[in-house]
Amino acid sequence: MPLLAIETSCDDTCAALLEGDRVLSSVISSQAVHDRYGGVVPEVASRHHVELVVPVVAAALAEAGADLDRVDRVAVTAGPGLIGALLVGLSAAKAIAAPRRLPLIPVDHLHGHVAANFLEPEPLEPPFLCLIASGGHTLLAAVRDRAGFEVLGETLDDAAGEAIDKAARMLGLGYPGGPALQALAAEGDPAAFELPVAMSRDPGLDFSFSGLKTALVYRCRELGEEGVAERRADLAAGFQAAVVDQLVAKLRRALEREPWPAVALGGGVAANGPLRAAVRELCERRGVRLKLVAPELCTDNAAMIGAAAGSSEALAWPGYLGFDAFATGPRSAR
C-alpha cells in the first residue's frame, strides 16, 4: 500500500504517493503571489497553504489512481522551515492520519533533499557526499546510510539560493531569481567584474555568501542606475560564477579529505546549469560517480519527503497528536 507524503516548509504546497522508492505521483503547487514582494512572505505563504493543501493532496491521489483508504502511512515535513507553513502541512497530515489510526512519520526537510537521491530510476545508495544548496540552506553532508546524514560544513550567513535571489532583485530580475539570473548570466562575461569567492583560503568546509552580496551592492552603486542597466549581464555572470566557484571549491576540498565513491546534489540551486556542469567536470576528473536528480526533485517536493520517511521513525496514534513542527534543526539529522 502506498505512503502519502506532504511538504509545506516554504511556499510550495506539495503532495506525493510512493511505494518504496517508486514515485506514483508528485504534485507541486508554487505560490506565484510572492514575486510581487520580491521574496516569500511567511504569513502569505501560510494562508495559501491552507487554501491549497487539500486540493493538492486530492490531485496527488487522483494522479496515482488511489484514495485515502489505500494509504497505510502519512509522512510530512516537520522542519526546518517557516513555522506557520510547516504547521499547515503537519495539521493536514494529522487530520488525514488520525481518523484512520495510521502511523505518522515526521521528516527533516534536509533529510528529504538527501533522500531524493534514493528514488527510482537509478537510485544512489550510501555512502556518498551530498551538496545541498537552496534558498534556505547550504551545506555539505556525509551520507553513510539512509537513516540520516552528518553535516561537514554549512553556510555561516546567507544560503546560496538566498544570495542569488537578492542579487537578482538588485539587478531588477524579480523573484524567484535563480532561473532569471542564469539566463541573463549566459549573455555576460564572468570576468568583467572582480567579485570575491569567499572562504577560498579558509581550510574548513563552511560557506559564506554575505560578502559576495555586499560586493555586488558596491558594484551597483559605482555603476549607477544606467550603468547597471548596461552591464546587468556581466554582473549576473560574475555573481553566478563566484557562487558556483565557492560551492565547487568546498566540494573539492571535501573529496580531498575523504575518499567518496559518489557525489550528489540537492536543493533548488542544484538545478543551476553551470553548477551541474562544474560538479560533473570535477567528478569526472576524480573518477567519482555523480548523481544528478531531475530538476523537479531539486526544488521542494513531497516525493523526497516520502523517500526520507522510509528510514525515519514512525509515530503511532494517538501519540503524534501532540507532535509539533520546528523552524530550525540540529547540525546533524541523525
Side-chain angles (χ1 to χ4, degrees):
M1 296 179 74
L3 171 146
L4 171 65
I6 298 172
E7 150 65 24
T8 61
S9 64
C10 191
D11 62 328
D12 291 330
T13 312
C14 315
L17 268 78
L18 293 86
E19 283 187 342
D21 294 333
R22 185 165 66 95
V23 180
L24 304 179
S25 67
S26 179
V27 176
I28 302 171
S29 180
S30 298
Q31 300 175 10
V33 65
H34 297 282
D35 57 2
R36 73 184 68 170
Y37 305 114
V40 176
V41 180
E43 177 62 22
V44 173
S46 300
R47 290 179 180 273
H48 277 77
H49 283 309
V50 171
E51 297 173 1
L52 293 168
V53 67
V54 171
V56 165
V57 169
L61 289 165
E63 184 178 302
D67 57 43
L68 288 177
D69 290 335
R70 287 190 56 200
V71 171
D72 67 349
R73 293 164 295 157
V74 180
V76 63
T77 304
L82 303 177
I83 192 64
L86 288 163
L87 287 172
V88 175
L90 181 60
S91 297
K94 290 178 180 179
I96 292 170
R100 297 166 177 82
R101 308 297 193 262
L102 299 177
L104 182 75
I105 309 173
V107 173
D108 182 283
H109 179 77
L110 297 177
H111 189 193
H113 279 302
V114 169
N117 295 284
F118 305 152
L119 294 170
E120 297 180 358
E122 300 180 357
L124 177 63
E125 290 296 332
F128 59 86
L129 182 65
C130 188
L131 171 62
I132 300 174
S134 68
H137 314 280
T138 299
L139 58 91
L140 272 170
V143 185
R144 307 187 194 279
D145 54 52
R146 284 194 173 211
F149 61 90
E150 175 192 356
V151 177
L152 302 178
E154 61 187 344
T155 183
L156 302 177
D157 38 61
D158 291 350
E162 178 186 4
I164 288 173
D165 284 337
K166 289 177 179 177
R169 192 181 312 142
M170 280 186 259
L171 299 178
L173 299 178
Y175 177 87
L181 189 87
Q182 179 179 333
L184 181 61
E187 304 172 7
D189 176 9
F193 292 94
E194 185 176 349
L195 292 172
V197 178
M199 310 288 285
S200 57
R201 296 182 182 178
D202 182 87
L205 297 177
D206 288 329
F207 304 86
S208 173
F209 296 98
S210 62
L212 172 61
K213 179 188 64 180
T214 302
L216 181 63
V217 170
Y218 287 142
R219 294 294 179 275
C220 290
R221 287 178 182 174
E222 292 166 1
L223 290 168
E225 188 174 336
E226 291 185 4
V228 169
E230 293 176 0
R231 305 296 300 278
R232 285 198 319 161
D234 290 338
L235 289 166
F239 189 91
Q240 178 179 257
V243 171
V244 170
D245 286 351
Q246 184 180 168
L247 293 171
V248 175
K250 296 297 183 174
L251 182 59
R252 181 187 304 111
R253 186 167 297 162
L255 289 171
E256 291 170 351
R257 287 188 175 187
E258 183 177 348
W260 290 95
V263 165
L265 299 183
V269 179
N272 177 272
L275 175 61
R276 291 165 85 93
V279 173
R280 181 182 293 109
E281 181 183 353
L282 171 64
C283 290
E284 288 175 352
R285 287 202 313 267
R286 299 190 67 89
V288 174
R289 178 186 174 188
L290 173 62
K291 168 69 174 180
L292 294 174
V293 299
E296 62 268 21
L297 293 177
C298 291
T299 54
D300 290 349
N301 64 90
M304 70 182 194
I305 301 304
S311 54
S312 299
E313 181 181 359
L315 305 180
W317 180 88
Y320 54 72
L321 294 177
F323 184 86
D324 206 356
F326 57 91
T328 58
R331 282 183 62 92
S332 180
R334 174 65 67 183

